Amino acid sequence: MTESGIPGASGGALPNAVRIVEVGPRDGLQNERAVVPLAAKLSLIESLVAAGLGTVEAGSFVSPRWVPQMADTDRVVTHFRSSDAVEMPVLVPNLRGLELAKAAGARTVAVFAAATVLFSRANLNASRAESLARFAEVTAAARASGMRVRGYVSCAVHCPYEGWVEPGKAAELAASLADMGCYEVSMCDTTGAASPGRALAMARAAIAAVPIDRIAVHFHDTFGQALVNTLACLELGISVVDSSVSGLGGCPYSPGAAGNLATEDLVYMLDGLGIATGIDLDALVKAGAEISDVLGRKPISRAGLALATRLSASSEVKDHLSN
Amino acid sequence: MTESGIPGASGGALPNAVRIVEVGPRDGLQNERAVVPLAAKLSLIESLVAAGLGTVEAGSFVSPRWVPQMADTDRVVTHFRSSDAVEMPVLVPNLRGLELAKAAGARTVAVFAAATVLFSRANLNASRAESLARFAEVTAAARASGMRVRGYVSCAVHCPYEGWVEPGKAAELAASLADMGCYEVSMCDTTGAASPGRALAMARAAIAAVPIDRIAVHFHDTFGQALVNTLACLELGISVVDSSVSGLGGCPYSPGAAGNLATEDLVYMLDGLGIATGIDLDALVKAGAEISDVLGRKPISRAGLALATRLSASSEVKDHLSN
């Protein structure tokens, strides 16, 4: 059923359709303590594609010494390289990663840059300028090989080292990535600290600097704000959203902590609003329940957990004295 | 810090201040499998009041055979009856409950009616008309005794037996409760099925039937939509929100399932938006962590869990290759 009448959308700002970029197999699983076996990863990605996801971030060509969870990305890419229907970006931090991605047959890569100096240094061991130069090189090489490049701006709202980030600073970096040739730039609230006002300020600056159809948003649910921030950005007309099945991506050092925006919660909302996604929610819920089983826990997604429970049991609801 | 610029708020619709009605000690704890000891309940309520909550629903005068979790409500009310600063509604299902509330020294009671026939029958063992007549009687008796009466409309959006509820039907019931003399009517999404479009349709109908300053909203987070629904209603100008510390109120038959909107997540958002609540978030987080300890689990609230972890440890954050 279709709903309508979101305030702020009276000018028609809410998009009719949203493209979801599923990042669970990469941004989600890379943060898991357990290394998920290759077969389970392939099964997860197959289930996500079957559920209707058209873009699935499949892995990362980073050093397996640092991120053993992604050590089999070459095999994941090889497995899916003949499937044309789905876009499967893989993260590459540098030229060496790009070479590995190309060798495996990847057609799309992702690069990421941080909006703040201290995060750049901590995560990329490079200054902001050095990392930009490196990405320009990677992006140029990828495009010369006929690959598409997706960009990420980390710490677009808040940095764990520097605090709140000036929206113009994140937008400027987004423009640089777009200028290098990234077909899309995803603005990431890495720490999950944003609430809707800050999310909007960031998004407004981004769409002032880069055409709106090349901007995606990427929220983490650390403080329970991921979905409300996403809706605020949709009301601006942004129509590409990153999310993670089952809410994968919680910090491994804080069990139970929320991770990325859960794809199930997002699709539940979009379905309710009558915004098309092309995704079968029940199939998505099953994919989330399966990978949660592999990880030995319940789905972090609220909607995923509620719907999985409903799908798996016809348990009687006891409702006395509830409101 | 203040944020601003929520779409839809350009007409000044977002309220400057929100009054939060904390329902954890009642709507939360009544759904817990464990019966929380009296001393822990008193401590919880004291902590909530110390954190700045001005309205705390303290318990329920229902049959202890049905709801043993609330069997000590008389002692809770007696304990706090000399504290004038806080409003502490207690739920009363009938005249007998009202007498008990009065004997304990309660100054405010709450009644609830369901918007649908089948839910009324299942929960109140009465038709809609019968339950309305009963509440009219209870409300009149309470007011004759100088008590204030708060009303709840259960199933204001969705009914577990009848499905989606016509917004006009819920609004009509709200008007009846207001006409009986309820100073405020809280519109409850009992099953948590609403997403923002349906939440708005319900809220629009309610504020067309009852003055907006007498309408509260009450969302459950079953599908992860509680906060986004709340923001949508705030954008209409509604300024009273029910929530539950730590997200208490999950279904006892589905461990890990989300309960009420978590007060911590709500306050985190409102703080970020610069909307005044009078609540100290850190103190609230401690209250949530304490009751979660009593219940032997982690806070269900995302913000509560993240901030409790932060408050209790200075653990180093490992951020490599995150976005």
Side-chain angles (χ1 to χ4, degrees), chain A residues 19-22 48-49 51-57 84-89 277-279:
Chain A
R19 183 163 67 82
I20 296 178
V21 175
E22 169 61 48
L48 291 167
V49 172
L53 283 151
T55 312
V56 179
E57 202 177 54
D84 277 335
V86 183
E87 174 127 48
M88 287 195 182
T277 63
I279 293 167

Side-chain angles (χ1 to χ4, degrees), chain A residues 142-232:
Chain A
R143 298 187 73 213
S145 303
M147 300 164 98
R148 279 156 59 83
V149 185
R150 188 169 200 255
Y152 283 111
V153 173
S154 292
C155 301
V157 181
H158 179 264
C159 168
Y161 310 110
E162 299 186 22
W164 297 112
V165 172
E166 208 272 300
K169 203 162 148 183
E172 189 190 352
L173 184 55
S176 298
L177 290 171
D179 288 346
M180 284 176 201
C182 290
Y183 68 94
E184 186 169 279
V185 180
S186 177
M187 306 299 286
C188 304
D189 177 24
T190 306
T191 63
S195 45
R198 291 209 179 258
L200 272 174
M202 175 277 286
R204 285 208 175 101
I207 63 182
V210 176
I212 192 166
D213 58 357
R214 293 174 65 190
I215 289 291
V217 288
H218 178 123
F219 290 105
H220 287 243
D221 206 28
T222 324
F223 298 94
Q225 313 290 308
L227 190 61
V228 73
N229 289 340
T230 300
L231 181 61

Side-chain angles (χ1 to χ4, degrees), chain B residues 24-50:
Chain B
R26 202 278 305 172
D27 199 17
L29 294 185
Q30 82 174 8
N31 284 312
E32 290 295 330
R33 207 186 288 263
V35 176
V36 171
L38 177 65
K41 266 189 206 178
L42 298 179
S43 173
L44 170 63
I45 295 174
E46 274 159 10
S47 298
L48 291 167
V49 172

Side-chain angles (χ1 to χ4, degrees), chain B residues 67-130:
Chain B
V67 192
Q69 295 91 337
M70 296 289 115
D72 55 9
T73 295
D74 56 338
R75 299 174 69 185
V76 174
V77 172
T78 303
H79 183 87
F80 288 104
R81 81 175 141 188
S82 61
S83 70
D84 278 334
V86 183
E87 174 127 49
M88 287 195 183
V90 285
L91 201 70
V92 296
N94 48 35
L95 280 178
R96 172 160 167 70
L98 177 65
E99 288 309 316
L100 294 171
K102 196 156 59 171
R107 288 187 300 264
T108 307
V109 293
V111 298
F112 80 93
T116 60
V117 173
L118 293 179
F119 197 85
S120 293
R121 199 149 282 155
N123 282 266
L124 307 166
N125 195 26
S127 73
R128 227 172 142 237
E130 284 163 356

Side-chain angles (χ1 to χ4, degrees), chain B residues 191-211:
Chain B
T191 64
S195 45
R198 292 211 177 256
L200 273 175
M202 176 277 286
R204 285 208 175 100
I207 63 181
V210 175

Side-chain angles (χ1 to χ4, degrees), chain A:
Chain A
M1 66 294 319
T2 296
E3 302 177 350
S4 64
I6 289 294
S10 51
L14 263 189
N16 296 319
V18 161
R19 183 163 67 82
I20 296 178
V21 175
E22 169 61 48
V23 298
R26 202 278 305 170
D27 199 15
L29 294 185
Q30 82 174 9
N31 282 312
E32 291 295 330
R33 206 186 289 263
V35 176
V36 171
L38 177 64
K41 266 189 207 178
L42 298 179
S43 172
L44 170 63
I45 295 174
E46 274 159 9
S47 298
L48 291 167
V49 172
L53 283 151
T55 312
V56 179
E57 202 177 54
S60 181
F61 284 99
V62 290
S63 166
R65 277 190 303 135
W66 286 100
V67 192
Q69 296 90 338
M70 297 289 115
D72 55 8
T73 294
D74 57 338
R75 298 174 68 185
V76 175
V77 171
T78 303
H79 182 87
F80 288 104
R81 82 174 140 190
S82 61
S83 70
D84 277 335
V86 183
E87 174 127 48
M88 287 195 182
V90 285
L91 201 69
V92 296
N94 48 36
L95 279 176
R96 171 160 168 70
L98 177 66
E99 287 309 315
L100 293 171
K102 195 156 59 172
R107 287 186 301 262
T108 307
V109 294
V111 298
F112 80 94
T116 61
V117 174
L118 293 179
F119 197 86
S120 292
R121 197 148 284 155
N123 282 268
L124 307 165
N125 196 25
S127 73
R128 228 172 140 236
E130 284 164 356
S131 64
L132 262 187
R134 190 194 294 169
F135 293 132
E137 194 179 28
V138 172
T139 303
R143 298 187 73 213
S145 303
M147 300 164 98
R148 279 156 59 83
V149 185
R150 188 169 200 255
Y152 283 111
V153 173
S154 292
C155 301
V157 181
H158 179 264
C159 168
Y161 310 110
E162 299 186 22
W164 297 112
V165 172
E166 208 272 300
K169 203 162 148 183
E172 189 190 352
L173 184 55
S176 298
L177 290 171
D179 288 346
M180 284 176 201
C182 290
Y183 68 94
E184 186 169 279
V185 180
S186 177
M187 306 299 286
C188 304
D189 177 24
T190 306
T191 63
S195 45
R198 291 209 179 258
L200 272 174
M202 175 277 286
R204 285 208 175 101
I207 63 182
V210 176
I212 192 166
D213 58 357
R214 293 174 65 190
I215 289 291
V217 288
H218 178 123
F219 290 105
H220 287 243
D221 206 28
T222 324
F223 298 94
Q225 313 290 308
L227 190 61
V228 73
N229 289 340
T230 300
L231 181 61
C233 293
L234 295 181
E235 289 178 358
L236 289 182
I238 288 173
S239 65
V240 185
V241 179
D242 297 1
S243 64
S244 177
V245 66
S246 179
L248 293 175
C251 174
Y253 306 99
S254 172
N260 287 71
L261 170 62
T263 310
E264 296 94 321
D265 295 7
L266 174 62
V267 171
Y268 187 92
M269 180 181 81
L270 296 172
D271 278 358
L273 287 164
I275 295 174
T277 63
I279 293 167
D280 175 335
L281 182 55
D282 282 351
L284 175 67
V285 165
K286 281 181 195 153
E290 277 164 24
I291 188 65
S292 299
D293 276 349
V294 170
L295 295 166
R297 62 158 185 245
K298 291 175 181 299
I300 303 173
S301 160
R302 310 276 201 209
L305 181 59
L307 293 169
T309 306
R310 194 180 282 185
L311 287 174
S312 70
S314 58
S315 64
E316 210 168 307
V317 178
K318 197 181 172 195
D319 280 298
H320 71 88
L321 287 167
S322 297
N323 57 303

